Amino acid sequence: MKISTKGRYGLTIMMELSVKFGEGPTSLKSIAERNQLSEHYLEQLIAPLRNAGLVKSIRGAYGGYVLSQDPETITAGDVIRILEGPISPVDFTEEDDPAKRNLWLRIRDSIAGVLDSTTLADLVNYKEEGQSDSYMFYI
């Protein structure tokens, strides 16, 4: 399964909104500028996220978008399914070899497990292993 730009940019939007959660609305223009993305494309992606109830739009001069729930309750799987559709590495039929069918199901379940166990809060708070917050010099 390959995640398209829809899914990748959708996660970018949701991560940006997660960082600003509780601080008021964020405009798509500011998200687009920070990430060097097309604002027009982000507008197309925000609609399904709003229709699914993951984000709310706020009108007005200082309007924009906010998450409708805490970032710890929204998973990467929620976002990917809304923008990409069902998670499935291949289209398989009942006629497929049972061993291959089982393999495709295990792959699908593994991908879904990772996406569903990763919240927006996990993504915005991620630090690479071994990465420290500050440099320490010894003399």
Side-chain angles (χ1 to χ4, degrees):
M1 175 183 178
K2 188 169 185 171
I3 306 291
S4 72
T5 55
K6 284 171 80 171
R8 291 175 29 231
Y9 292 0
L11 271 178
T12 299
I13 293 170
M14 297 299 282
M15 288 172 67
E16 289 278 346
L17 296 178
S18 295
V19 169
K20 302 285 187 183
F21 185 69
E23 297 177 13
T26 303
S27 70
L28 286 183
K29 182 176 184 172
S30 67
I31 294 173
E33 287 172 355
R34 257 193 309 280
N35 294 279
Q36 289 134 18
L37 302 173
S38 161
E39 181 182 357
H40 179 69
Y41 191 49
L42 297 186
E43 288 170 358
Q44 295 173 26
L45 299 179
I46 201 77
L49 296 170
R50 187 183 65 242
N51 292 340
L54 294 184
V55 298
K56 295 179 193 173
S57 60
I58 298 177
R59 297 180 157 208
Y62 299 104
Y65 294 90
V66 295
L67 292 181
S68 60
Q69 308 168 35
D70 190 286
E72 293 184 4
T73 65
I74 301 172
T75 67
D78 297 332
V79 177
I80 296 300
R81 283 185 187 90
I82 289 165
L83 296 173
E84 300 279 355
I87 296 166
S88 182
V90 296
D91 290 327
F92 51 87
T93 62
E94 295 299 325
E95 293 84 37
D96 270 344
D97 178 313
K100 289 191 303 184
R101 179 177 165 78
N102 179 261
L103 173 65
W104 306 143
L105 288 170
R106 288 183 11 236
I107 292 170
R108 181 201 63 195
D109 293 346
S110 295
I111 293 169
V114 170
L115 291 172
D116 292 338
S117 66
T118 306
T119 67
L120 293 177
D122 295 332
L123 292 172
V124 298
N125 295 321
Y126 176 78
K127 289 191 174 137
E128 287 191 52
E129 288 183 30
Q131 179 183 6
S132 61
D133 290 334
S134 61
Y135 293 102
M136 186 173 290
F137 296 98
Y138 295 97
I139 299 177

